[in-house]
Amino acid sequence: MAEFEERISRLTDPSTQEEAIRGLASGGPSAIPEIAGAIRSLKGPPQLLAWALQNVRGKGASEAFTALLRDDDTMVQLASIEALGHVGDEPGARELEAFLREPDQLPVPKGLAAEALGNLCYREAAPLLAETMAAAEKEKEPELAIQCAVGLAKLGDFRGYPVVLRGAQAKSKPLVRLAAVGALSWVAGDGMFPVLQRALGDKNVEVRRAAIEAVYYLGSRDAAEALVGSAGDRDDTAANNSMVFLRRITGEELEEGAAEIRRWWSSRGEAFPTDVSTRLGVPVTPAAIAQIADDRMARSDAAREFSIYTGRYFGSDA
């Protein structure tokens, strides 16, 4: 117990946070009740404790997380739902289905459950996800409908694309636009690139950042040219992300600065391939994505890209 308390105390120090999270998660399924209890009693930073909870692995983890699906503490509940999407087995998936059917559950945990079922590649859930998506649209719960569309897309079913496209164009609802534009990393269809181009100029910075990531996954010449424009975004994070993603698409060591990027594109852009998606200057392959994962800072992005490329969920680390 003393060691557990010490690890929690180390969560507050940025220099020891990562090690402390790994230490808490390394306790395996037997540590799940303790971590959940620490979240409930606010003994440490709740978000970091939730992250530790989500990263617990081992035999019995699925059952332990299932027991927390309906926890009174929202953070414990949400972390457990997300964790089931990483480690759940078929019984865990069936529990998530049952949870999604419960009419009294709120849209946020139901949306996470929908995505978790997609992460688990549980194809038997497709009819329920489609039904929940339609009901959410009818009940004016667009974010839940979008998450159901993402869950379906992870099962190789893109019937939710129109739902996402409508959400991406919800002019007066930035949170809906954000959810939809983010979903376009997974849910693809005709006409998505013009929608993403408009999102790159959205007034909401979070929407622009999500659009930059979704454009990156396209990896085409048009996508690269769009990222050249976003390298001049007034938000430093958006501009930097555009630079990082351009380097990953092209394999070029690009100079910093929007003006330098534009000059590079004006001299080299015409030679860029038009009919393929590229990484590091070559057509996308698992090997190219694995090379990106060699950069520790890019590892979670590479894991996500492996998931998009293969249709199999790889969690948060490659």
Side-chain angles (χ1 to χ4, degrees):
M1 178 64 73
E3 183 180 354
F4 182 84
E5 297 289 344
E6 181 183 349
R7 284 174 176 163
I8 288 179
S9 70
R10 294 174 71 192
L11 288 172
T12 59
D13 183 346
S15 68
T16 58
Q17 281 174 356
E18 187 174 345
E19 182 184 349
I21 288 169
R22 283 202 302 267
L24 289 169
S26 69
S30 62
I32 290 173
E34 281 188 299
I35 299 173
I39 293 173
R40 294 188 200 102
S41 60
L42 299 177
K43 287 186 177 178
Q47 292 286 357
L48 294 178
L49 284 166
W51 190 13
L53 191 64
Q54 290 165 12
N55 282 278
V56 174
R57 302 289 185 268
K59 185 178 180 181
S62 180
E63 292 86 345
F65 287 126
T66 295
L68 297 174
L69 273 181
R70 296 162 184 83
D71 198 271
D72 290 338
D73 187 284
T74 301
M75 189 160 287
V76 170
Q77 181 192 46
L78 298 183
S80 299
I81 293 169
E82 191 162 346
L84 271 176
H86 298 169
V87 303
D89 46 19
E90 187 170 332
R94 288 199 294 268
E95 287 290 340
L96 286 168
E97 279 192 301
F99 181 88
L100 197 54
R101 287 192 179 97
E102 293 174 10
D104 294 336
Q105 295 297 341
L106 296 173
V108 171
K110 288 178 76 171
L112 280 181
E115 291 203 44
L117 285 165
N119 293 343
L120 292 170
C121 300
Y122 190 63
R123 302 190 185 282
E124 290 84 348
L128 175 61
L129 289 171
E131 176 188 324
T132 305
M133 180 175 68
E137 276 224 293
K138 185 176 180 180
E139 296 297 323
K140 302 291 191 277
E141 294 172 347
E143 286 133 301
L144 173 55
I146 290 164
Q147 286 179 288
C148 290
V150 171
L152 283 166
K154 290 177 180 180
L155 301 178
D157 185 330
F158 294 95
R159 75 182 88 175
Y161 176 65
V163 171
V164 174
L165 212 58
R166 286 193 289 274
Q169 299 172 88
K171 292 183 179 179
S172 61
K173 298 177 179 178
L175 291 179
V176 175
R177 293 200 307 279
L178 175 59
V181 170
L184 286 172
S185 292
W186 297 97
V187 189
D190 291 340
M192 65 182 289
F193 186 64
V195 172
L196 286 172
Q197 282 182 303
R198 288 194 291 273
L200 290 173
D202 199 281
K203 289 185 289 187
N204 184 288
V205 64
E206 296 295 338
V207 173
R208 298 201 304 277
R209 291 176 185 175
I212 287 166
E213 184 171 5
V215 166
Y216 160 68
Y217 290 122
L218 294 177
S220 63
R221 176 179 169 179
D222 287 343
E225 187 169 15
L227 291 175
V228 168
S230 289
D233 195 285
R234 59 188 178 277
D235 172 67
D236 288 344
T237 298
N240 181 69
N241 290 352
S242 298
M243 288 278 297
V244 169
F245 289 144
L246 267 173
R247 287 172 179 148
R248 291 184 194 170
I249 288 175
T250 64
E252 298 275 350
E253 286 296 327
L254 304 174
E255 292 186 44
E256 297 284 346
E260 287 76 9
I261 293 295
R262 287 194 296 271
R263 279 195 291 272
W264 169 81
W265 184 256
S266 67
S267 64
R268 300 286 299 279
E270 288 298 321
F272 203 80
T274 60
D275 56 351
V276 293
S277 180
T278 63
R279 292 294 177 272
L280 304 178
V282 299
V284 175
T285 62
I289 299 171
Q291 192 172 342
I292 291 171
D294 288 342
D295 179 354
R296 187 171 175 274
M297 297 299 291
R299 202 158 291 165
S300 63
D301 290 344
R304 179 180 172 91
E305 187 157 6
F306 266 120
S307 300
I308 292 170
Y309 182 81
T310 64
R312 176 186 170 195
Y313 187 66
F314 285 89
S316 58
D317 208 0

